[in-house]
Amino acid sequence: MRQYIIRRLFVCIFILLGVSIIIYTLIRVMPGDYVQTLTAGNPNVTEEMKISLRKLYGTETNIFKGYINWLGKAIQGDFGESFLYKQPVSEVIKSKMWTSFTIAFIAYILQMIIAIPLGIISATKQYSKLDYGVTIFAFIGISLPSFFFAAILQRIFAFGLGWVPLQGMITARMDYTGWALIRDKAWHFILPIVVLAFLSIGSLMRYARTNMLEVLNADYIRTARAKGLSEKKVIYKHAFRNTLIPIVTMLGGLLPSLFSGAIITEQIFAIDGLGFTAFKALKSGDINYMMGFLTFSAVLTLLGTLLSDILYGVADPRVRLK
């Protein structure tokens, strides 16, 4: 196991290097940059002033030299200063990621609590009215765009009924502290959490249903039924445990989504998390922040993949990691 982890981490270094090259190149070839955004609409800005600003922000060099300069600092843990926020990129990420984590983590817990039982029930009652109803519910969640579903919830529960806030993280002009502040934030997070949870339930439910159907058709399940075990024991003691083995591997994919934020959802609800910040940085051409944010997401993805492999080996003793 130790040798496997060390070897995988070594491979991850080269993957991360390749990913960073691709990301930096794509960001630099995008039309416009931070200086152009900063000076847009100002007729008093001359070309010489733009050149001076590009030297100040380090964007006057070619792509190769610019990447080498960025990489040299990144290896030392310095991702530079965000052009937009005038703070070190690492500090901006630290200050924003816990908001995204809170929303994504609660949404994921709700997703697991709802989707897995629905998938199991749907599989045990295959082709019944309940199965068709759950399947329709799942396909609705899979098919709905996040911005469309969010707009519907805002129209009904914020505009129409006025039960929840429309946008933001806290109530304006309210000086809340302590538990009052936590309750106010929780009230603002209701709709974003519902959007993220509902749109993710469908895929996980279908995944759980498919795996349960496969397990229920296995020989050892037939043997358990032939021995006279109750259907409840067959399903929840034998089949359910083996159904969870593939689902465990999905936990690794959770890691980047927990911390990287949902760009569209955070944008719609004006939640100042990593996704919302990344969208603003992308529009303004904030190279340093985008490189730091995307590198952070890439690291989480690689670690999540490694975690999935390890968890699969733990969940299924037949798997040997070499």
Side-chain angles (χ1 to χ4, degrees), residues 8-282:
R8 282 294 300 272
L9 289 175
F10 186 73
V11 173
C12 285
I13 294 175
F14 288 97
I15 295 176
L16 190 60
L17 182 64
V19 168
S20 65
I21 293 173
I22 295 173
I23 292 173
Y24 187 86
T25 303
L26 290 176
I27 292 176
R28 286 295 301 270
V29 299
M30 287 176 58
D33 57 15
Y34 181 71
V35 172
Q36 185 173 333
T37 303
L38 188 65
T39 59
N42 189 344
N44 297 322
V45 177
T46 63
E47 193 62 34
E48 290 75 14
M49 294 171 66
K50 290 182 179 181
I51 293 174
S52 299
L53 285 172
R54 288 190 174 94
K55 288 182 179 179
L56 176 64
Y57 290 111
T59 58
E60 86 287 358
T61 60
N62 58 47
I63 295 177
F64 178 76
K65 187 176 180 180
Y67 174 76
I68 295 300
N69 292 336
W70 176 86
L71 182 63
K73 294 179 180 179
I75 291 175
Q76 303 175 39
D78 179 14
F79 291 94
E81 184 177 279
S82 169
F83 302 161
L84 189 61
Y85 294 94
K86 311 303 180 185
Q87 296 178 11
V89 170
S90 57
E91 294 299 323
V92 177
I93 292 176
K94 287 178 184 178
S95 65
K96 308 290 184 181
M97 72 179 185
W98 294 112
T99 298
S100 297
F101 173 82
T102 301
I103 294 175
F105 181 75
I106 296 174
Y108 184 78
I109 295 299
L110 291 175
Q111 173 192 345
M112 297 284 287
I113 292 174
I114 297 172
I116 294 178
L118 282 180
I120 293 172
I121 293 172
S122 180
T124 55
K125 300 183 181 298
Q126 189 178 18
Y127 303 131
S128 66
K129 292 181 179 179
L130 178 62
D131 183 28
Y132 287 127
V134 171
T135 301
I136 291 173
F137 173 76
F139 278 123
I140 291 175
I142 294 172
S143 305
L144 277 178
S146 58
F147 64 87
F148 180 72
F149 184 54
I152 292 176
L153 294 183
Q154 287 178 322
R155 180 66 181 85
I156 296 174
F157 296 104
F159 280 116
L161 300 174
W163 289 355
V164 291
L166 178 65
Q167 288 182 327
M169 294 175 55
I170 56 175
T171 303
R173 296 185 296 277
M174 290 292 183
D175 190 17
Y176 290 132
T177 57
W179 284 107
L181 178 61
I182 294 175
R183 285 195 300 268
D184 188 49
K185 282 191 174 183
W187 200 242
H188 283 77
F189 286 173
I190 289 176
L191 288 186
I193 289 173
V194 171
V195 170
L196 291 177
F198 181 77
L199 297 182
S200 302
I201 286 174
S203 57
L204 181 58
M205 191 283 291
R206 297 293 298 171
Y207 190 70
R209 179 183 182 276
T210 302
N211 282 298
M212 176 59 82
L213 286 174
E214 184 177 347
V215 171
L216 288 176
N217 291 323
D219 291 338
Y220 70 90
I221 296 297
R222 297 192 188 96
T223 303
R225 284 171 172 159
K227 288 181 178 180
L229 293 178
S230 65
E231 190 67 12
K232 185 177 180 180
K233 281 190 176 181
V234 170
I235 293 174
Y236 294 103
K237 186 176 181 180
H238 296 278
F240 179 65
R241 292 179 60 185
N242 289 283
T243 301
L244 285 179
I245 292 176
I247 294 177
V248 164
T249 62
M250 297 179 64
L251 293 176
L254 165 68
L255 192 60
S257 63
L258 280 181
F259 288 96
S260 61
I263 293 179
I264 296 177
T265 303
E266 290 184 4
Q267 181 70 21
I268 293 172
F269 291 101
I271 301 296
D272 193 16
L274 280 180
F276 181 75
T277 307
F279 183 78
K280 290 173 63 178
L282 181 62

